[in-house]
Amino acid sequence: MKNRQIWLRSRPQTIPGAEHFAVRDAEIPELGEGQFLVRNAYLSVDPAMRGWLLDEGNYLPRVEPGETMRAFAVGEIIASRNPEFVAGDRVTGLFGWQEYTVADAEQVLLRASERDLPLSSALGVLGLNGVTAYFGLLDVCAPQAAETVVISTAAGAVGSCAGQIAKALGCRTIAITGGEEKRRKCLDEFGFDLAFDYKAEPDLRAALSAACPEGVHCYFDNTAGEISDAVLANLANGARVAVCGTAALSTWDPWPLGPRVERHLLTKRASMKGFIALDYKARFPEAISAIANWVRAGDIRYAEDILDGLDAAPGSIKQLYDGANKGKLIIRLAAADDLVRDPQRGG
């Protein structure tokens, strides 16, 4: 049984493209004690993958040329030498861009136990995207009812979930996104109270000032750059800023310079904190349970953009940064189709 993999052929300097990857067939090694074999059904495409490829230091070791591309995936265990993980279990983890993964317990991020919801959601709203929104909003921003919460890349998988959680808590929510289609989506599908298209807004700072006369109480920052400069200039006294991503910046060499944030934080007695969702791993079940209940109740809606087949993976990161996707970007493998066709296993 062969295992098709996507491996890193050369290191990108900015946004990774298809030319930086290649496909290969590899042997599946024998299972060691405590290991299990996962047949991956869906592979994730995430902004963090760019950081995993760059030379600069990151919160995980960089992916080296010749290695299988690191990625989150969800699949079904088909063989096991670990009594805690048995055949038929569904798990999510850093399983890589490949059809099969020999894994151990340390690689498992969470169990995909919400069987009444689509398995693909374990990579989005019921996966790392959802828990990122949950902990970034609730633990870092800590919004109170009636406060104003602003979210950048608000039509994305993390931003849309964070906005809907804030709305469920009784907050006033403002979306910042790119393009009229995404702006309407934030209003019509994700229930934001107000939405700005930063590409069409001539003066985002002034627009936010008019929309937030009492200032911005919470800012969930997925972008950095000029969008964040506009929001930070409108912080309310005691505001909280959660730094989740820097998608607006294509490179950190040379280091980009812009308006300084210290004066905003000082005069408004505001706080700004970066966070990594993996730091909350012990609490993931809490987040997944809460989000699943919000989904079932209709308080959280989510969108997925699914590409078919492993061959779609190499160009997918660039597609993500081009903003072409219309939801959580996921790659569907043949195993997903097999699960759907088998009514005893479901999809």
Side-chain angles (χ1 to χ4, degrees):
M1 189 164 56
K2 295 291 185 179
N3 181 22
R4 295 185 74 229
Q5 303 172 324
I6 303 296
W7 59 282
L8 181 63
R9 181 163 57 184
S10 62
R11 187 173 305 286
Q13 298 305 308
T14 55
I15 306 300
E19 67 275 15
H20 297 106
F21 300 97
V23 184
R24 66 186 173 200
D25 289 328
E27 298 290 337
I28 298 176
E30 294 291 328
L31 295 181
E33 192 66 33
Q35 292 183 322
F36 42 88
L37 179 62
V38 181
R39 188 186 183 201
N40 295 319
Y42 295 94
L43 309 179
S44 187
V45 185
D46 296 293
M49 298 171 81
R50 182 189 68 169
W52 298 341
L53 293 168
L54 298 180
D55 286 326
E56 290 89 342
N58 206 277
Y59 59 91
L60 289 175
R62 67 180 184 179
V63 178
E64 299 294 343
E67 293 181 349
T68 301
M69 181 59 201
R70 178 188 298 135
F72 290 100
V74 62
E76 185 176 71
I77 296 174
I78 59 174
S80 177
R81 294 188 63 190
N82 186 322
E84 301 299 319
F85 295 88
V86 300
D89 285 354
R90 295 170 183 187
V91 289
T92 301
L94 281 170
F95 299 152
W97 272 355
Q98 55 187 337
E99 294 177 335
Y100 296 89
T101 305
V102 173
D104 58 32
E106 290 298 314
Q107 290 171 260
V108 174
L109 191 66
L110 52 89
R111 294 176 185 265
S113 56
E114 308 292 341
R115 295 268 179 147
D116 61 316
L117 299 172
L119 183 60
S120 57
S121 67
L123 292 180
V125 70
L126 296 185
L128 192 63
N129 296 133
V131 299
T132 298
Y134 182 92
F135 292 113
L137 186 73
L138 297 184
D139 279 45
V140 181
C141 285
Q144 303 298 308
E147 287 190 326
T148 295
V149 177
V150 174
I151 297 173
S152 57
T153 64
V158 174
S160 61
C161 186
Q164 291 175 95
I165 294 174
K167 190 69 177 175
L169 297 176
C171 298
R172 177 175 181 248
T173 55
I174 298 178
I176 301 176
T177 190
E180 177 61 17
E181 183 180 359
K182 290 183 178 179
R183 191 187 77 85
R184 291 305 321 172
K185 192 170 191 174
C186 286
L187 295 171
D188 299 339
E189 294 188 30
F190 302 136
F192 282 86
D193 295 295
L194 190 64
F196 292 106
D197 171 10
Y198 73 88
K199 295 179 179 179
E201 196 63 52
D203 190 338
L204 182 59
R205 176 174 176 171
L208 285 168
S209 178
C212 307
E214 297 181 0
V216 174
H217 300 100
C218 296
Y219 175 41
F220 196 107
D221 182 8
N222 285 306
T223 57
E226 294 181 1
I227 291 172
S228 293
D229 295 337
V231 181
L232 293 171
N234 285 285
L235 294 180
N237 286 340
R240 290 83 66 199
V241 178
V243 180
C244 181
T246 58
L249 304 174
S250 62
T251 181
W252 292 93
D253 184 18
W255 197 272
L257 298 178
R260 310 295 183 177
V261 303
E262 291 85 355
R263 195 68 183 171
H264 296 311
L265 301 180
L266 172 63
T267 59
K268 298 300 177 64
R269 282 81 79 197
S271 62
M272 188 177 200
K273 180 181 179 181
F275 74 101
I276 301 296
L278 295 176
D279 294 339
Y280 295 88
K281 184 177 179 180
R283 293 175 56 196
F284 277 10
E286 165 200 331
I288 296 300
S289 177
I291 295 169
N293 285 334
W294 276 319
V295 170
R296 294 184 183 103
D299 293 323
I300 290 181
R301 301 176 67 182
Y302 64 95
E304 296 178 337
D305 198 342
I306 297 181
L307 307 176
D308 279 312
L310 190 67
D311 292 331
S316 61
I317 302 176
K318 186 176 187 302
Q319 179 177 333
L320 189 70
Y321 277 90
D322 287 343
N325 59 300
K326 298 178 181 179
K328 166 63 186 175
L329 196 56
I330 298 172
I331 298 162
R332 177 173 51 209
L333 302 182
D337 296 330
D338 291 344
L339 289 174
V340 170
R341 282 193 292 266
D342 186 343
Q344 298 302 314
R345 297 159 73 193

